[in-house]
Amino acid sequence: MPPPSEPTYSFSIPSLHDNTPLHCRIYHPQHSNQHSTSAPQSENHKSPTRAAIVAHPYAPLGGCYDDPVVLSIVDALVREGVVVGTFNFRGAADSAGSTSLSGKGEQADYESVVGLLLCYLRSLISLEEAHDHGDAGNETAEEKHGLQGNEKIDLLLAGYSYGSLVLARLSPVQEILLRFEAAAATPGQAVAEILATARKLASETTQRHLDERNAHITTFGSADRNSTNKSHPHRHHVRLSADLAHDTLEKLHFKRRNSPRNPSDIPKQTTAEQHPTTRPTISPSYLFISPVILPLTLSICPPGAVASLPSLSFLGKGRSPSPSSSSSHSSAHYLQHRTLAVFGNKDSFTSSHRLRLWAEKQSREAAAAGTSDTGFEWTEIEGAGHFWREEGVMGALQRRVTSWWK
């Protein structure tokens, strides 16, 4: 069995809800095109366009991003070449704050990480484009280091147990992007800090890859002691690219330190109107692992439902959101995209009978409203409990997830 994946980055970001510090991790595949020295030059530094986020179980019961099921899914996806983000909800492990009663804080926590990871991928792609085209000093390119671009990004949003409850409440991905874009130019907001963190990490990743490539080229060329940069034309280009990544990071830091505090003081030439936004094409998929079905309903997280499991409850008795609230329109929007639910027939939180009823209902609704590239699938793993501790069931879970999200 291969060793468990180690996080490439560990860091904190503020939650969009109330600036609560959340601890996060990003995992990079160890053997991707970015690290392959045998790949053609055009593919050697190709930025990743597949990413996933996995949310953990209930914090008051010990849930955090070190949960064995979360780490198992991380390992499976990283081996498939996927960049994976995990995080601790408020009140979990080393994240600040405490678990909320309404679930609104946790929803914003998850959406904060969605914005972070999309900006991180987009920044990697932007730096690669700058490396290829030599436009490091182009202000328009720098403005696009974040949530703009033409590329297609495959994004898997996953939740295990309590994490599935939060996942079901998320706003559609495009709405999350719009929120980030609307607040990105306003200094002092959580969005600005999240985007700055994503850009910094992307710059560090790009610099590391360029250094590795430069070291490989230097080693490869050392057999000829009389070789010069003229005989190895790529060496000088790599060094320029490394300087580019460093300069871009420095400019981002400088721009952040010197950003005007009053949004009205922002120069007109840096506003979005000067550079029309081209949003990346995001193809979201959704993964529910051991979803917790609240009583008296066949929805994962119904507005106003009565929960008989207080430790997993989002909403209190008699509460019903307004028609304009995100919960009222986002609780089933995942049915418009590829979705997989995986659970065991020995789940101790929700009976397998109720899980099957819920899954069948989701399948019917997705079939009625879906298109050829969407659909709700579900799998019941024989012998698996809610915590996936039984012999052989974790491997079955990993195989089902990776075979589905190709």
Side-chain angles (χ1 to χ4, degrees):
M1 176 178 293
S5 302
E6 293 293 333
T8 307
Y9 297 113
S10 294
F11 55 95
S12 293
I13 60 171
S15 172
L16 294 172
H17 184 64
D18 53 7
N19 292 312
T20 296
L22 309 172
H23 206 266
C24 309
R25 290 173 176 169
I26 290 179
Y27 295 78
H28 262 272
Q30 293 183 355
H31 302 289
S32 65
N33 281 344
Q34 298 174 41
H35 297 281
S36 174
T37 55
S38 61
Q41 183 180 346
S42 60
E43 299 179 3
N44 200 38
H45 289 280
K46 186 173 179 58
S47 295
T49 55
R50 300 183 74 218
I53 300 172
V54 187
H56 64 73
Y58 194 54
L61 295 182
C64 68
Y65 58 19
D66 284 321
D67 177 87
V69 176
V70 172
L71 293 177
S72 175
I73 296 300
V74 169
D75 284 341
L77 292 173
V78 168
R79 287 197 297 269
E80 294 294 316
V82 180
V83 174
V84 184
T86 62
F87 66 101
N88 285 327
F89 284 116
R90 58 189 57 234
D94 44 10
S95 287
S98 58
T99 303
S100 71
L101 298 177
S102 67
K104 291 181 180 179
E106 285 78 5
Q107 177 184 343
D109 295 348
Y110 201 135
E111 292 178 358
S112 303
V113 182
V114 172
L116 169 93
L117 195 60
L118 289 176
C119 177
Y120 175 72
L121 291 181
R122 177 55 204 157
S123 296
L124 285 176
I125 295 168
S126 294
L127 287 168
E128 178 184 297
E129 292 172 349
H131 161 72
D132 290 340
H133 300 102
D135 59 353
N138 189 318
E139 289 299 312
T140 302
E142 289 184 8
E143 291 297 325
K144 290 183 179 180
H145 285 186
L147 301 168
Q148 304 175 33
N150 299 318
E151 65 287 332
K152 177 177 178 288
I153 295 175
D154 293 312
L155 178 65
L156 176 63
L157 302 177
Y160 163 49
S161 188
Y162 175 87
S164 72
L165 288 171
V166 181
L167 175 62
R169 294 172 60 97
L170 291 187
S171 302
V173 171
Q174 290 300 332
E175 290 190 14
I176 298 173
L177 284 175
L178 286 173
R179 180 176 180 183
F180 269 78
E181 289 175 3
T186 305
Q189 291 197 4
V191 166
E193 184 171 343
I194 292 171
L195 296 182
T197 299
R199 293 163 182 159
K200 176 182 178 181
L201 295 177
S203 294
E204 292 178 357
T205 300
T206 301
Q207 181 68 68
R208 185 175 67 253
H209 293 161
L210 292 172
D211 287 345
E212 291 173 355
R213 181 180 175 186
N214 192 33
H216 168 72
I217 293 174
T218 301
T219 303
F220 182 78
S222 62
D224 181 2
R225 293 180 178 273
N226 296 321
S227 62
T228 64
N229 285 339
K230 185 174 294 186
S231 63
H232 295 281
H234 300 303
R235 184 182 304 170
H236 184 60
H237 184 60
V238 169
R239 187 65 263 159
L240 288 177
S241 302
D243 293 339
L244 160 64
H246 181 269
D247 292 344
T248 301
L249 178 57
E250 287 300 310
K251 289 177 182 179
L252 288 169
H253 284 171
F254 178 83
K255 289 170 71 176
R256 187 181 176 198
R257 287 194 302 267
N258 294 276
S259 297
R261 295 183 178 275
N262 189 339
S264 63
D265 294 335
I266 298 176
K268 291 184 179 179
Q269 61 267 27
T270 63
T271 61
E273 288 80 0
Q274 297 299 115
H275 306 302
T277 298
T278 304
R279 295 185 184 90
T281 300
I282 310 299
S283 178
S285 301
Y286 294 82
L287 171 63
F288 295 88
I289 302 172
S290 298
V292 178
I293 310 300
L294 301 183
L296 309 179
T297 181
L298 291 181
S299 296
I300 272 193
C301 191
V306 178
S308 64
L309 299 173
S311 64
L312 296 175
S313 174
F314 265 174
L315 303 173
K317 292 184 179 181
R319 293 184 58 188
S320 58
S322 65
S324 61
S325 70
S326 60
S327 297
S328 65
H329 68 77
S330 64
S331 60
H333 79 272
Y334 54 84
L335 294 179
Q336 301 172 21
H337 306 280
R338 292 184 63 207
T339 302
L340 173 67
V342 187
F343 49 85
N345 68 340
K346 303 295 184 182
D347 196 300
S348 57
F349 280 16
T350 307
S351 70
S352 59
H353 174 70
R354 293 195 69 245
L355 284 166
R356 286 194 296 269
L357 284 178
W358 168 79
E360 290 167 356
K361 180 176 184 288
Q362 304 300 296
S363 296
R364 290 193 300 271
E365 292 183 356
T371 60
S372 59
D373 60 344
T374 65
F376 183 94
E377 300 179 37
W378 61 277
T379 298
E380 184 179 63
I381 304 295
E382 180 70 26
H386 189 81
F387 301 103
W388 300 86
R389 294 170 178 163
E390 296 78 12
E391 184 178 358
V393 299
M394 193 77 85
L397 171 63
Q398 290 179 317
R399 290 189 294 273
R400 182 64 185 101
V401 170
T402 54
S403 65
W404 167 73
W405 200 57
K406 287 291 188 180

